[in-house]
Coordinates of all heavy atoms in Angstrom, one line a residue:
A35 N -6.5 -29.0 -88.7 CA -5.7 -28.3 -87.6 C -6.6 -27.6 -86.6 O -6.3 -27.6 -85.4 CB -4.8 -27.3 -88.4
A36 N -7.7 -27.1 -87.1 CA -8.6 -26.4 -86.1 C -9.3 -27.4 -85.2 O -9.4 -27.1 -84.0 CB -9.7 -25.6 -86.9
V37 N -9.6 -28.5 -85.7 CA -10.2 -29.6 -84.9 C -9.1 -30.0 -83.8 O -9.5 -30.1 -82.6 CB -10.6 -30.9 -85.7 CG1 -11.1 -32.0 -84.9 CG2 -11.6 -30.5 -86.8
L38 N -7.9 -30.2 -84.1 CA -6.9 -30.6 -83.2 C -6.7 -29.5 -82.2 O -6.6 -29.7 -81.0 CB -5.6 -30.9 -83.9 CG -5.6 -32.1 -84.7 CD1 -4.3 -32.2 -85.6 CD2 -5.7 -33.4 -83.9
M39 N -6.7 -28.2 -82.6 CA -6.5 -27.1 -81.7 C -7.6 -27.0 -80.7 O -7.4 -26.7 -79.5 CB -6.2 -25.9 -82.5 CG -4.8 -25.9 -83.2 SD -4.2 -24.4 -83.8 CE -4.0 -23.5 -82.4
R40 N -8.9 -27.2 -81.2 CA -10.0 -27.1 -80.3 C -10.0 -28.2 -79.2 O -10.5 -28.0 -78.2 CB -11.3 -27.3 -81.1 CG -11.8 -26.0 -81.7 CD -13.3 -26.1 -82.2 NE -13.5 -27.2 -83.0 CZ -13.5 -27.2 -84.4 NH1 -13.1 -26.1 -85.0 NH2 -13.7 -28.3 -85.1
S41 N -9.4 -29.3 -79.6 CA -9.3 -30.4 -78.6 C -8.2 -30.2 -77.6 O -8.1 -30.9 -76.6 CB -9.1 -31.8 -79.3 OG -7.8 -31.8 -79.9
G42 N -7.4 -29.1 -77.8 CA -6.3 -28.9 -76.9 C -4.9 -29.2 -77.4 O -4.0 -29.0 -76.7
M43 N -4.8 -29.7 -78.6 CA -3.5 -30.1 -79.1 C -3.0 -28.9 -80.0 O -3.4 -28.8 -81.1 CB -3.6 -31.3 -80.0 CG -2.3 -31.9 -80.3 SD -2.4 -33.5 -81.1 CE -3.1 -34.5 -79.8
H44 N -2.3 -28.1 -79.3 CA -1.8 -26.8 -80.0 C -0.4 -27.0 -80.6 O 0.2 -26.0 -81.0 CB -1.7 -25.7 -78.9 CG -3.1 -25.4 -78.4 ND1 -3.3 -25.4 -77.0 CD2 -4.3 -25.2 -79.0 CE1 -4.6 -25.2 -76.8 NE2 -5.2 -25.1 -77.9
C45 N 0.1 -28.2 -80.8 CA 1.4 -28.4 -81.3 C 1.3 -28.7 -82.9 O 2.3 -29.1 -83.5 CB 2.0 -29.7 -80.7 SG 1.2 -31.2 -81.0
V46 N 0.2 -28.3 -83.5 CA 0.0 -28.6 -84.9 C 1.1 -28.1 -85.7 O 1.5 -28.7 -86.7 CB -1.4 -28.0 -85.3 CG1 -1.6 -28.2 -86.8 CG2 -2.5 -28.7 -84.5
G47 N 1.6 -26.9 -85.4 CA 2.7 -26.3 -86.3 C 4.0 -26.6 -85.8 O 5.0 -26.1 -86.4
C48 N 4.2 -27.3 -84.7 CA 5.6 -27.5 -84.2 C 6.3 -28.6 -85.0 O 5.7 -29.3 -85.7 CB 5.6 -27.9 -82.7 SG 5.1 -29.6 -82.4
P49 N 7.7 -28.5 -85.0 CA 8.4 -29.5 -85.8 C 8.1 -30.9 -85.5 O 8.2 -31.8 -86.4 CB 9.9 -29.2 -85.4 CG 9.8 -27.8 -84.9 CD 8.5 -27.6 -84.3
S50 N 7.6 -31.3 -84.3 CA 7.3 -32.7 -84.0 C 6.2 -33.2 -84.8 O 6.1 -34.4 -85.1 CB 7.0 -32.8 -82.5 OG 8.1 -32.5 -81.7
A51 N 5.3 -32.3 -85.3 CA 4.1 -32.7 -86.0 C 4.5 -33.2 -87.4 O 3.7 -34.0 -88.0 CB 3.2 -31.5 -86.2
Q52 N 5.7 -32.9 -87.8 CA 6.2 -33.4 -89.1 C 6.5 -34.9 -89.0 O 6.5 -35.6 -90.1 CB 7.4 -32.7 -89.6 CG 7.1 -31.2 -89.8 CD 6.0 -30.9 -90.7 OE1 5.9 -31.4 -91.8 NE2 5.0 -30.1 -90.2
A53 N 6.8 -35.5 -87.9 CA 7.2 -36.9 -87.8 C 6.4 -37.7 -86.7 O 6.6 -38.9 -86.6 CB 8.6 -37.0 -87.5
E54 N 5.5 -37.1 -86.0 CA 4.8 -37.7 -84.9 C 3.5 -38.1 -85.3 O 2.8 -37.4 -86.0 CB 4.7 -36.6 -83.7 CG 4.4 -37.2 -82.4 CD 4.6 -36.2 -81.3 OE1 4.1 -35.1 -81.4 OE2 5.3 -36.5 -80.3
T55 N 3.1 -39.3 -85.0 CA 1.7 -39.8 -85.3 C 0.8 -39.2 -84.3 O 1.1 -38.7 -83.3 CB 1.6 -41.4 -85.2 OG1 1.8 -41.7 -83.8 CG2 2.6 -42.1 -86.0
L56 N -0.5 -39.3 -84.7 CA -1.6 -38.7 -83.9 C -1.6 -39.5 -82.5 O -1.8 -38.9 -81.5 CB -2.9 -38.9 -84.6 CG -4.1 -38.4 -83.8 CD1 -4.0 -36.9 -83.6 CD2 -5.4 -38.7 -84.6
A57 N -1.3 -40.8 -82.6 CA -1.3 -41.6 -81.4 C -0.1 -41.1 -80.4 O -0.3 -41.0 -79.2 CB -1.2 -43.1 -81.7
E58 N 1.0 -40.9 -81.0 CA 2.2 -40.4 -80.3 C 1.9 -39.0 -79.6 O 2.2 -38.8 -78.4 CB 3.4 -40.4 -81.1 CG 3.9 -41.8 -81.5 CD 4.9 -41.7 -82.6 OE1 5.0 -40.8 -83.4 OE2 5.7 -42.7 -82.7
A59 N 1.4 -38.2 -80.4 CA 1.1 -36.8 -79.9 C 0.0 -36.8 -78.8 O 0.1 -36.1 -77.8 CB 0.6 -35.9 -81.0
A60 N -1.0 -37.7 -79.0 CA -2.0 -37.8 -78.0 C -1.5 -38.3 -76.7 O -1.8 -37.8 -75.6 CB -3.1 -38.7 -78.5
E61 N -0.6 -39.3 -76.7 CA 0.0 -39.8 -75.6 C 0.8 -38.8 -74.8 O 0.7 -38.6 -73.6 CB 0.9 -41.0 -75.9 CG 1.5 -41.7 -74.7 CD 2.4 -42.9 -75.0 OE1 2.2 -43.4 -76.1 OE2 3.2 -43.3 -74.2
V62 N 1.6 -38.0 -75.6 CA 2.4 -37.0 -74.9 C 1.6 -35.9 -74.2 O 1.9 -35.4 -73.2 CB 3.3 -36.3 -76.1 CG1 4.0 -35.0 -75.5 CG2 4.4 -37.3 -76.5
H63 N 0.5 -35.6 -74.9 CA -0.4 -34.5 -74.3 C -1.5 -35.1 -73.4 O -2.4 -34.3 -72.9 CB -1.1 -33.8 -75.5 CG -0.1 -33.0 -76.3 ND1 0.4 -31.8 -75.8 CD2 0.5 -33.2 -77.5 CE1 1.3 -31.3 -76.7 NE2 1.3 -32.1 -77.7
G64 N -1.6 -36.4 -73.2 CA -2.5 -36.9 -72.3 C -3.9 -37.0 -72.8 O -4.9 -37.0 -72.0
F65 N -4.0 -37.2 -74.1 CA -5.3 -37.3 -74.8 C -5.5 -38.8 -75.2 O -4.6 -39.5 -75.4 CB -5.4 -36.4 -76.0 CG -5.3 -35.0 -75.8 CD1 -4.4 -34.2 -76.4 CD2 -6.1 -34.3 -74.8 CE1 -4.2 -32.9 -76.2 CE2 -6.0 -33.0 -74.5 CZ -5.0 -32.2 -75.2
D66 N -6.8 -39.1 -75.5 CA -7.1 -40.4 -75.9 C -7.1 -40.4 -77.5 O -7.9 -39.7 -78.1 CB -8.6 -40.8 -75.4 CG -9.0 -42.2 -75.9 OD1 -8.5 -42.7 -76.9 OD2 -9.8 -42.8 -75.1
A67 N -6.2 -41.1 -78.1 CA -6.0 -41.1 -79.5 C -7.2 -41.5 -80.2 O -7.6 -41.1 -81.3 CB -4.8 -41.9 -79.9
D68 N -7.9 -42.6 -79.7 CA -9.1 -43.1 -80.3 C -10.2 -42.0 -80.4 O -10.9 -41.9 -81.4 CB -9.7 -44.3 -79.6 CG -8.8 -45.5 -79.7 OD1 -8.2 -45.7 -80.8 OD2 -8.6 -46.2 -78.7

Side-chain angles (χ1 to χ4, degrees):
V37 176
L38 290 171
M39 293 193 65
R40 275 195 308 270
S41 72
M43 191 172 294
H44 300 128
C45 65
V46 174
C48 80
S50 295
Q52 300 305 309
E54 199 169 47
T55 66
L56 182 62
E58 291 167 336
E61 183 177 342
V62 167
H63 292 283
F65 299 127
D66 185 329
D68 293 320

